Amino acid sequence: MFGDLFEEEGDGFSSSTPGKGVKGRECEPPPPRGKIKLCGIKNQGGTCYLNSLIQTLLFTPEFREELFCLGPDELGSLADKDKPEAKVRVIPLELQRLFSHLLLVDEQTASTTDLTDSFGWTNNEEMGQQDVQELNRILFSALESSLVGTSGSSLIHRLYHGTLVNQITCKECGNISERQEDFLDLTVSVRGVSGLEEALWNMFVEEEMFEGNNLYRCSRCDQLVRAAKSAKLRKLPPFLTISLLRFNFDFAKCERYKETGSYVFPLTFNLRPFCEQQNNWPDSEYSYELFSVIIHKGGCYGGHYHVYIKDIDQLGHWEAPEEEVKVKAKTQRQEDKVGERKKESENSVDTEDPLSVLTDILSQEESKCVLIDQLGQKLMNKTGMPWSKKYKKQYGTISKFLQNYPEVFMLVSNGTRVALKDAGPATTEPSPTEPGSSASANNSPDNTEPETAGDTEGPDGCHWFDLNDSTVTAISEKDIEKQFQGKESAYMLFYRKTTMKRPPEAIGNPAYKVPRHLVEMVQEENARLQQRRAEFDASSNSVEVRLHLAPHYHYQNGALHPISPDEDSVITVTFDRRKTVGDLRLAIYQMQDLWEGDMALTLAKNVPAGLHLYDTLTDDQISLYSAGVSNGSDLFVWNGREVSGVAVKTGIEWEPVLLTVLRPSVEELGCGDGSGVEDTDGSGLVRSMKGFAGGATLSTVLEALGPQEALLCQEQSRPGATGGGASGWRVFPPQDMQRTLRELSLKDGDALLLLQPEELDSSIFSLSGDMVTVTTPSDCRWLQVEFCPQSGLKEEEEEEQRKKRSKVSASGNMLLAEVKEKALEELRLQDELSGVECCLRQMDRTGKHLPPVHEHLSVRDAGIRLMTSLYLCPGPVPTATQLFLYFSVGLAPSVGQELEIIVEESLTIKECLKEMLQMAKLDGESWHLRRVDWCEEIGEPLMDENASLKEARVSHGDTLVVVEGRLPPKGYLKLSVKMYIDTIDSSSVPELNHTAESLSTEGLATEGSGSEMRFIGHVEISEEASLDDLKTQMMTLPALQDVCVPSPAFLRVWLLEGKKLSRILRGNQQTLRKLKLGNGAEVCVQRLMNEENLGLKDLLLRVQMGVPGEKAYYPSEEFLWDAGRDGTPRGLYAALASRYGLTPDNLLLAKHLPDKHTWMPISNWTQQVSKRKKKRKAESLQAAPFYLKDGDIIGVKNLLIDNNKEFTTLEDEIGQQSLREEAANHNTRGRPATGDYSNDIGSKKSGPTKNRRPEVALSINVGVFR
């Protein structure tokens, strides 16, 4: 129900319109009722709330029978409902028909389509979500209106209406002012109470006092006086409906929520304590029993309803599961133990058992009720030890212990008092005249104690069922306890008076008091259903079987084949699958008059090799359905031994495999059976299809195909899968010759190659180990070679040269040098490139030329695929001992502008670097080489300059980078140092360490920021040196020698990542290795006016207070926050409140996101967590979603003087506008924009939310019958 929150049955829309389902089932009749004998109701899409209420009314026998007593003379006829002058009461008539259908029609489900149509629902109201409590009131109101002027006009009033009276009693003169109200159902609170009895106690027993500043004006005293307000039940209905207020509204979060806490309700209970005591009714008139529980599963915005119902008339068939019997025996043993414990407690109290001690204390109290705060003191007086020392370690707090025993204790007065469950809830001020006192309740001879759900059968023999739309299942009373709490919990309770007894003739009789005309209509419907089922049963059990007669078949290639393709060898018969195999065999005998001898029927199947036989039907007594014969099955009719004189093996293990057999074309095509087909594609191989039994060994296959000395090979790689296009075949080893085709996992279509040993000497076949390579004429394909001219030519000449391309015939074994010679000839470039070195290269997807290929290799060995392109480019060809390398100069190389060099792989790193410097025309010795990683970024340097390129694992085609600077010794780091310099006159800044406030975190230098970063040199230092050593060495740099720095503690070192300030290096004694500094890292040094030694958990933030009433901030200040003490938002609020001398509630904080020009609010609110759940881990601001780090800007709003809670400044708005324009331009250039860019770029991104449809009020249209 409620959209796609819960899946509903696919057939739950209408029973009158047959669905278009699986072929052959369009006219399938509905199935009969199951063993439970009760009928469910189809869901029309969202009508589970209606189904639950209809089932409750159906199993209210008095309501059902009163409705059946209304005949056509009062209600009219449905046949006349379309006549304008006829007054037909459609709703009660449709309800009668639905009830009779649910009671008597032999179907598993019924439809409510006609009933909802009578409601006037024409706008898909059955698909919307509605509340069952609201439906209960609206439906009863519609019935009352529909039954006006009939004998059933007072039906709802007599069965469901009750009366309560509100009284205000003056404490001065005793005057009572009262107001009487009628109720259809009682709505009770769920929040803050433990169960139904406590809620009723609070409503009808406890008094609300008017005193102090809240006095009551008495009409008799004519002045403001003390008074007490109370409510009592005056008239009790035969059926009491109780609605539980599960849904509430959280005003703090401004959202609805569902109460899922424990809420206990009894199976039977007495309402005398909640009623007026002036009537002299017998006590049995106050006793009620539960017979229906409507349950809601889900949340406040959607869910699903189903109902637990007690079968009063015992119409259903109930069967208890085996587990239920075991649970009942176990429960009985537990109850016996509790009874023994109570007996022992009456004689002596076991101080080690807190249950006995607390029960004894409460039983000795005169009021049977004690404040929980006083209970601990009374327990210490009795045992000599407080609860915290004696019981808390084992049982938890005293409040938790009381809540764990709801069957013994009851919390009242909003949980401040506790009373024994047997004594009933006690008031805050108990008095002897109180109507609900424990004495009057317990001394009554007919008083009924509240029962707890535990038995599988009630004392009257009635059982419980769960009616969940179309599904009906048997349950026990114990299952009702599961609906006390949780997302799936009780929502409406229906009680009936225990004095209402059913007549014996109604027990087990669904037709009791059903009108005769409805019974006749049901009988006609059942007759139609029975006829439809018989017709469908006969049609659905008729199967078509194809009979294959053995005289028309012969055995060939491991399978059966028709002797003459033109002759019809298959006979199709239609047979009832419920009949036996013997019946089918007899029918075939009658059809085949000339058949002699035994007849075997074997299930067959057409496979690629032919017809194969599987299981023989030997038992004539089993049905065809049990034998596995279905519609379209194939049966082979034979003698069970041989076909045309050849023995035939049956079963899955002998299922034939159709193999493709290839032979060299030099063989004669004498296949013997004529099944071989010559391949005409010029491959040089003859191809034929052969079938073999799956249980045949490979040696048997070889014997059938050729001489024993021949080689049998299996295909491993197809042509074109690797360079050169040749195919590879594996020779079967001798041990495989005794294995079957099934064991070798050969399947239909697999290829086998049959070779004679002398054929391996040809150029087509080559044997290497156990692999045979076949290079057939079809593998001699082509390579396209395109000429790439030298750069520097005119555009016209270069374009003309680029048009020179040719397809060169090539094979996988051809050397690339031969391919180049052929290309030069076909392109006619011998004269033009005479004396010019040229090479063959490939090109990647980006248009970059790959390294030249080694021309001493073949096409296959070089990994070049045929039917691809090669490019003839100017340049030398590397030999087998040479490497082709790309290299660039600088830390920011441009892709596509690399230089190319060919060097010997035996050269050392140092010698290779020297040649690269000469080619790049660079001087000096302060250079080193670095690799380029897979992300195209500068990687680690090549440290060992004396190692050869081969030893350093530099490969053909690698890219290296020539970087300025000498390599540091092993174990040393070379760091690039920059210094923060304030370009504003220092006299305008009171403290130098506050100049960092003008530094933009978006870059090292920002226009208008008044600060910049300047490179001041490099530092070489050991990885094991400390941060203090690094600061000391920085002070020796020339740029810092003229700056007054008293000690290293006056320097702050930042780590730069991507030219942005990342984090402050802290811990002066930490080694650089532990600080995770890598070789070549960039750091920034900042001079301070005071010494600084940041802790590992300290965060350096920049806070700025907002200017009241303006979109601006005062200059920012550095703020050192100890995040290790309390890293949560509450901790940051407390720290800043202490700094500014305010309370945390008067502050509002947000983090600035400079990349998005927005602010992320930091809330001081802490989410409340249920006590039953595990304690939530504190949310750190250094984790998601804030990721607070050094240098972040924190905006502060003082709510005492600033009403503007928006943090965005004018600069932010300008930045957001720029981002929107960039996004619009991107959408214009790229894909079409699917929507407007978000107006609030800085708003917190929320997950995908489901748009809820607007709620529509429920209504039922009723005609006018007055």
Side-chain angles (χ1 to χ4, degrees):
M1 182 182 175
F2 302 163
D4 57 355
L5 190 63
F6 293 91
E7 292 185 359
E8 299 290 357
E9 291 81 6
D11 59 348
F13 291 95
S14 176
S15 64
S16 59
T17 303
K20 297 182 180 179
V22 183
K23 183 179 180 180
R25 292 186 174 268
E26 292 87 348
C27 300
E28 181 178 359
R33 301 195 182 195
K35 58 183 179 179
I36 292 182
K37 303 300 182 185
L38 296 180
C39 183
I41 302 178
K42 295 179 182 178
N43 195 314
Q44 298 187 49
T47 56
C48 57
Y49 64 98
L50 174 64
N51 297 347
S52 301
L53 185 59
I54 292 297
Q55 294 283 18
T56 299
L57 297 178
L58 173 70
F59 284 90
T60 308
E62 292 75 11
F63 175 85
R64 181 181 73 224
E65 292 164 4
E66 290 270 0
L67 188 64
F68 281 149
C69 289
L70 302 174
D73 54 336
E74 293 186 281
L75 300 181
S77 175
L78 288 174
D80 301 332
K81 65 178 180 179
D82 295 330
K83 296 180 181 179
E85 70 279 0
K87 289 189 176 182
V88 181
R89 307 172 193 267
V90 182
I91 294 178
L93 284 172
E94 291 292 355
L95 208 54
Q96 282 184 347
R97 293 185 61 178
L98 179 59
F99 281 177
S100 61
H101 190 115
L102 291 170
L103 289 171
L104 300 174
V105 176
D106 189 19
E107 283 185 2
Q108 289 185 0
T109 57
S111 174
T112 57
T113 303
D114 294 336
L115 179 64
T116 54
D117 288 345
S118 70
F119 291 167
W121 291 359
T122 58
N123 195 24
N124 292 330
E125 286 88 344
E126 64 275 2
M127 302 299 296
Q129 58 177 353
Q130 299 296 344
D131 184 76
V132 69
Q133 298 175 0
E134 182 183 7
L135 174 68
N136 182 59
R137 299 176 182 179
I138 294 176
L139 180 59
F140 280 3
S141 175
L143 281 174
E144 286 183 318
S145 301
S146 298
L147 297 178
V148 168
T150 67
S151 58
S153 58
S154 61
L155 169 64
I156 303 299
H157 189 275
R158 283 186 285 106
L159 295 182
Y160 293 96
H161 273 271
T163 304
L164 61 85
V165 58
N166 294 297
Q167 297 178 342
I168 299 179
T169 305
C170 176
K171 292 298 184 180
E172 302 296 333
C173 65
N175 180 44
I176 298 178
S177 174
E178 66 178 28
R179 179 171 55 87
Q180 182 173 298
E181 295 180 6
D182 291 337
F183 66 88
L184 186 66
D185 60 275
L186 291 178
T187 303
V188 298
S189 175
V190 173
R191 182 179 182 182
V193 293
S194 61
L196 176 61
E197 289 183 299
E198 183 181 351
L200 293 176
W201 191 276
N202 295 337
M203 290 174 61
F204 300 112
V205 177
E206 289 191 350
E207 296 180 340
E208 179 185 356
M209 296 302 298
F210 295 123
E211 54 188 0
N213 294 329
N214 185 26
L215 295 177
Y216 169 73
R217 177 171 293 279
C218 177
S219 59
R220 178 181 296 178
C221 301
D222 196 22
Q223 61 179 353
L224 296 175
V225 296
R226 294 175 60 252
K229 181 181 179 181
S230 62
K232 292 292 181 183
L233 294 172
R234 174 166 291 178
K235 173 183 173 294
L236 296 178
F239 296 96
L240 179 64
T241 305
I242 297 178
S243 301
L244 307 183
L245 285 177
R246 286 282 184 187
F247 299 131
N248 278 324
F249 189 82
D250 189 336
F251 289 94
K253 299 181 183 179
C254 291
E255 63 181 11
R256 295 163 62 187
Y257 70 97
K258 180 179 179 180
E259 294 282 355
T260 58
S262 177
Y263 192 85
V264 181
F265 49 88
L267 295 181
T268 61
F269 72 123
N270 195 293
L271 288 179
R272 180 183 287 275
F274 316 116
C275 298
E276 286 185 318
Q277 302 302 312
Q278 59 187 9
N279 46 36
N280 297 322
W281 296 341
D283 198 68
S284 58
E285 288 294 325
Y286 299 95
S287 180
Y288 281 81
E289 64 175 345
L290 182 71
F291 76 96
S292 177
V293 182
I294 293 183
I295 298 158
H296 181 265
K297 177 181 180 181
C300 55
Y301 294 106
H304 179 69
Y305 288 100
H306 61 108
V307 61
Y308 285 178
I309 288 182
K310 187 176 183 180
D311 187 9
I312 302 296
D313 283 352
Q314 303 178 27
L315 303 178
H317 176 69
W318 191 90
E319 290 183 359
E322 296 180 0
E323 296 80 4
E324 198 67 37
V325 179
K326 298 178 182 179
V327 171
K328 186 174 181 180
K330 184 178 180 181
T331 305
Q332 185 63 39
R333 290 194 297 269
Q334 292 176 349
E335 291 177 353
D336 294 341
K337 291 181 180 180
V338 172
E340 293 175 1
R341 183 182 298 172
K342 287 185 177 181
K343 278 187 179 180
E344 293 175 358
S345 64
E346 293 176 359
N347 301 327
S348 61
V349 178
D350 184 8
T351 57
E352 298 300 325
D353 184 10
L355 182 61
S356 301
V357 176
L358 295 177
T359 304
D360 185 65
I361 292 174
L362 291 173
S363 62
Q364 294 178 5
E365 289 293 319
E366 181 179 356
S367 62
K368 306 298 182 185
C369 182
V370 178
L371 285 170
I372 294 181
D373 296 339
Q374 297 177 0
L375 186 61
Q377 182 64 37
K378 293 180 180 293
L379 181 137
M380 187 172 66
N381 296 338
K382 190 173 187 66
T383 61
M385 293 182 66
W387 177 278
S388 58
K389 290 186 178 181
K390 190 171 183 65
Y391 305 113
K392 185 176 181 180
K393 185 176 181 180
Q394 183 177 358
Y395 300 100
T397 62
I398 189 171
S399 300
K400 182 179 180 181
F401 181 81
L402 295 173
Q403 293 173 2
N404 290 338
Y405 289 89
E407 69 277 4
V408 180
F409 306 106
M410 183 167 58
L411 300 177
V412 295
S413 300
N414 293 328
T416 59
R417 289 176 173 268
V418 61
L420 286 177
K421 192 69 172 290
D422 295 341
T427 58
T428 307
E429 296 180 0
S431 61
T433 61
E434 216 172 348
S437 63
S438 59
S440 63
N442 290 333
N443 293 335
S444 300
D446 298 330
N447 180 52
T448 304
E449 293 185 0
E451 296 180 10
T452 58
D455 300 330
T456 59
E457 180 180 337
D460 50 2
C462 302
H463 296 283
W464 286 83
F465 294 91
D466 177 13
L467 291 93
N468 190 347
D469 288 340
S470 301
T471 306
V472 183
T473 55
I475 62 171
S476 65
E477 289 184 353
K478 187 69 175 177
D479 293 324
I480 300 177
E481 290 185 359
K482 300 177 183 178
Q483 309 305 328
F484 286 168
Q485 61 186 353
K487 287 190 175 181
E488 183 177 8
S489 51
Y491 191 63
M492 285 189 75
L493 308 175
F494 296 84
Y495 287 88
R496 56 183 288 128
K497 284 189 176 182
T498 56
T499 56
M500 301 174 64
K501 302 298 182 182
R502 297 295 295 151
E505 57 270 19
I507 303 302
N509 182 13
Y512 182 70
K513 287 196 175 181
V514 178
R516 183 63 188 170
H517 69 282
L518 291 178
V519 173
E520 293 175 354
M521 185 172 57
V522 167
Q523 290 174 349
E524 294 176 0
E525 178 66 20
N526 284 334
R528 285 194 298 269
L529 285 174
Q530 187 174 0
Q531 182 180 0
R532 286 180 58 195
R533 289 173 185 146
E535 294 173 355
F536 178 80
D537 193 41
S539 63
S540 61
N541 284 290
S542 297
V543 293
E544 288 187 354
V545 180
R546 292 188 292 268
L547 301 179
H548 302 261
L549 304 180
H552 301 281
Y553 281 83
H554 70 286
Y555 190 77
Q556 180 184 6
N557 278 344
L560 294 168
H561 298 271
I563 296 175
S564 175
D566 299 333
E567 185 179 352
D568 189 6
S569 58
V570 180
I571 300 176
T572 302
V573 296
T574 302
F575 213 73
D576 193 335
R577 64 176 181 173
R578 292 171 295 182
K579 292 187 177 182
T580 64
V581 175
D583 296 334
L584 177 60
R585 194 189 311 274
L586 180 60
I588 297 175
Y589 266 121
Q590 295 173 353
M591 294 168 53
Q592 300 293 322
D593 298 335
L594 301 179
W595 187 276
E596 296 181 357
D598 297 334
M599 177 185 289
L601 302 179
T602 304
L603 289 171
K605 180 182 177 182
N606 281 301
V607 295
L611 187 70
H612 180 64
L613 307 184
Y614 292 89
D615 299 327
T616 301
L617 308 182
T618 57
D619 190 354
D620 284 355
Q621 304 303 319
I622 64 174
S623 66
L624 296 181
Y625 176 78
S626 302
V629 178
S630 59
N631 193 40
S633 294
D634 293 279
L635 285 178
F636 193 74
V637 185
W638 61 316
N639 59 14
R641 297 181 299 276
E642 48 82 22
V643 176
S644 300
V646 180
V648 177
K649 294 182 179 180
T650 63
I652 186 67
E653 65 274 10
W654 293 100
E655 183 178 301
V657 179
L658 188 63
L659 301 176
T660 303
V661 181
L662 287 85
R663 308 169 189 261
S665 60
V666 294
E667 286 189 1
E668 294 294 330
L669 299 179
C671 299
D673 52 7
S675 62
V677 179
E678 182 178 356
D679 191 358
T680 58
D681 60 357
S683 64
L685 295 175
V686 177
R687 189 182 307 268
S688 61
M689 307 300 293
K690 293 286 186 178
F692 298 94
T697 61
L698 203 59
S699 60
T700 306
V701 175
L702 181 60
E703 182 180 353
L705 293 177
Q708 293 295 320
E709 63 272 11
L711 298 179
L712 198 60
C713 312
Q714 183 180 11
E715 189 176 22
Q716 297 295 309
S717 60
R718 294 184 178 274
T722 60
S727 58
W729 300 76
R730 184 182 68 87
V731 180
F732 284 106
Q735 58 269 21
D736 283 352
M737 303 305 293
Q738 301 305 318
R739 299 176 65 186
T740 64
L741 301 184
R742 181 174 296 276
E743 292 173 346
L744 292 171
S745 301
L746 290 174
K747 57 185 181 296
D748 293 319
D750 284 354
L752 297 180
L753 177 65
L754 190 67
L755 291 176
Q756 301 294 338
E758 60 271 13
E759 294 170 345
L760 295 174
D761 298 333
S762 66
S763 59
I764 296 179
F765 306 101
S766 60
L767 178 64
S768 176
D770 64 343
M771 291 298 298
V772 174
T773 302
V774 181
T775 308
T776 64
S778 62
D779 293 324
C780 299
R781 297 172 184 167
W782 50 266
L783 284 171
Q784 179 169 284
V785 180
E786 182 176 340
F787 178 59
C788 290
Q790 295 180 351
S791 59
L793 299 177
K794 294 182 180 179
E795 292 184 3
E796 296 81 3
E797 296 179 0
E798 185 174 348
E799 185 64 26
E800 184 66 26
Q801 294 282 10
R802 284 190 178 276
K803 293 182 180 178
K804 293 183 178 181
R805 62 171 66 93
S806 174
K807 284 187 178 180
V808 178
S809 298
S811 66
N813 295 329
M814 180 181 291
L815 295 178
L816 287 167
E818 300 176 12
V819 174
K820 186 173 76 171
E821 291 178 4
K822 280 189 175 184
L824 290 173
E825 292 176 3
E826 296 189 12
L827 295 173
R828 300 176 182 179
L829 295 174
Q830 298 95 329
D831 297 337
E832 183 178 341
L833 298 179
S834 177
V836 179
E837 288 187 299
C838 58
C839 58
L840 292 175
R841 304 177 71 169
Q842 291 179 294
M843 184 180 292
D844 63 9
R845 295 180 179 179
T846 63
K848 175 183 175 181
H849 282 120
L850 298 179
V853 297
H854 291 283
E855 295 183 1
H856 66 280
L857 298 177
S858 66
V859 174
R860 182 184 303 106
D861 294 338
I864 297 174
R865 300 174 64 92
L866 292 178
M867 296 180 293
T868 58
S869 296
L870 290 176
Y871 296 85
L872 187 63
C873 304
V877 179
T879 63
T881 61
Q882 289 181 329
L883 298 177
F884 178 89
L885 301 176
Y886 301 97
F887 75 96
S888 57
V889 181
L891 289 174
S894 299
V895 178
Q897 298 183 4
E898 300 98 339
L899 300 176
E900 301 172 352
I901 189 172
I902 297 178
V903 294
E904 295 289 337
E905 63 180 7
S906 58
L907 283 183
T908 63
I909 302 294
K910 191 172 184 179
E911 293 170 342
C912 179
L913 174 62
K914 186 176 180 180
E915 292 194 13
M916 289 180 176
L917 292 175
Q918 290 177 355
M919 180 176 288
K921 298 180 181 180
L922 297 175
D923 299 328
E925 297 182 356
S926 297
W927 301 90
H928 65 276
L929 286 178
R930 290 175 176 263
R931 297 181 185 270
V932 174
D933 60 15
W934 64 275
C935 295
E936 301 295 335
E937 295 181 356
I938 307 301
E940 293 293 326
L942 300 175
M943 299 296 295
D944 191 356
E945 292 185 331
N946 295 320
S948 66
L949 295 175
K950 186 176 183 180
E951 292 172 346
R953 297 183 179 180
V954 177
S955 304
H956 186 70
D958 281 356
T959 302
L960 301 178
V961 180
V962 179
V963 180
E964 187 176 8
R966 285 183 175 273
L967 282 174
K970 190 173 183 179
Y972 277 73
L973 301 176
K974 186 172 183 179
L975 306 178
S976 176
V977 183
K978 292 182 172 59
M979 184 177 180
Y980 169 79
I981 297 177
D982 185 21
T983 57
I984 304 176
D985 186 7
S986 59
S987 61
S988 62
V989 183
E991 293 185 5
L992 186 59
N993 65 326
H994 285 176
T995 59
E997 67 196 30
S998 60
L999 176 63
S1000 172
T1001 59
E1002 297 183 24
L1004 297 179
T1006 305
E1007 294 183 5
S1009 64
S1011 62
E1012 63 178 9
M1013 292 293 171
R1014 293 181 184 175
F1015 176 75
I1016 60 175
H1018 290 92
V1019 171
E1020 291 187 7
I1021 190 169
S1022 172
E1023 291 178 329
E1024 303 302 325
S1026 65
L1027 177 61
D1028 196 59
D1029 297 335
L1030 175 62
K1031 293 179 180 179
T1032 303
Q1033 192 161 341
M1034 286 179 175
M1035 293 172 61
T1036 63
L1037 293 173
L1040 290 177
Q1041 289 181 354
D1042 297 333
V1043 179
C1044 179
V1045 181
S1047 68
F1050 285 82
L1051 292 179
R1052 177 187 297 160
V1053 181
W1054 293 78
L1055 178 65
L1056 300 179
E1057 291 182 1
K1059 299 183 180 181
K1060 295 182 180 181
L1061 295 176
S1062 173
R1063 59 185 173 92
I1064 299 176
L1065 302 182
R1066 61 200 73 207
N1068 288 329
Q1069 301 307 317
Q1070 292 281 331
T1071 64
L1072 302 184
R1073 181 192 298 273
K1074 290 185 178 180
L1075 291 175
K1076 298 181 180 180
L1077 283 182
N1079 193 21
E1082 291 184 308
V1083 294
C1084 174
V1085 60
Q1086 179 183 355
R1087 190 184 67 164
L1088 306 177
M1089 296 300 296
N1090 299 310
E1091 292 185 357
E1092 180 180 77
N1093 186 14
L1094 298 179
L1096 297 178
K1097 298 293 184 179
D1098 292 340
L1099 274 183
L1100 187 70
L1101 305 175
R1102 295 160 55 204
V1103 296
Q1104 51 188 26
M1105 178 68 74
V1107 178
E1110 299 182 12
K1111 292 185 176 182
Y1113 293 90
Y1114 294 111
S1116 61
E1117 301 176 347
E1118 290 184 351
F1119 173 66
L1120 190 62
W1121 177 42
D1122 185 3
R1125 179 177 299 176
D1126 185 2
T1128 64
R1130 185 182 298 274
L1132 181 59
Y1133 268 85
L1136 287 175
S1138 175
R1139 177 186 180 93
Y1140 292 111
L1142 300 171
T1143 62
D1145 294 338
N1146 293 329
L1147 294 181
L1148 193 61
L1149 308 181
K1151 174 191 172 182
H1152 189 229
L1153 304 177
D1155 294 337
K1156 298 182 178 180
H1157 302 285
T1158 58
W1159 295 80
M1160 181 183 294
I1162 302 177
S1163 175
N1164 193 24
W1165 173 76
T1166 303
Q1167 183 176 356
Q1168 298 294 327
V1169 182
S1170 172
K1171 295 180 180 178
R1172 293 188 299 272
K1173 295 183 180 178
K1174 190 176 181 181
K1175 185 177 180 181
R1176 181 184 294 271
K1177 186 178 180 181
E1179 298 178 354
S1180 173
L1181 288 176
Q1182 294 176 273
F1186 296 99
Y1187 298 106
L1188 213 59
K1189 63 181 186 303
D1190 293 319
D1192 280 347
I1193 300 176
I1194 302 297
V1196 183
K1197 292 283 187 177
N1198 184 356
L1199 299 181
L1200 292 177
I1201 58 176
D1202 192 357
N1203 294 327
N1204 181 20
K1205 297 183 180 181
E1206 292 293 331
F1207 287 86
T1208 306
T1209 63
L1210 296 177
E1211 291 79 5
D1212 292 330
E1213 293 176 353
I1214 296 174
Q1216 291 177 14
Q1217 181 63 29
S1218 300
L1219 290 178
R1220 283 193 289 269
E1221 293 175 357
E1222 292 177 5
N1225 294 334
H1226 174 72
N1227 290 335
T1228 303
R1229 292 192 303 267
R1231 58 179 177 82
T1234 57
D1236 296 337
Y1237 195 81
S1238 173
N1239 292 330
D1240 186 10
I1241 302 177
S1243 60
K1244 184 177 180 180
K1245 292 183 180 180
S1246 59
T1249 58
K1250 182 178 179 181
N1251 294 327
R1252 302 190 182 96
R1253 290 181 295 180
E1255 297 184 3
V1256 181
L1258 182 65
S1259 63
I1260 297 178
N1261 300 325
V1262 185
V1264 179
F1265 303 105
R1266 298 184 183 275

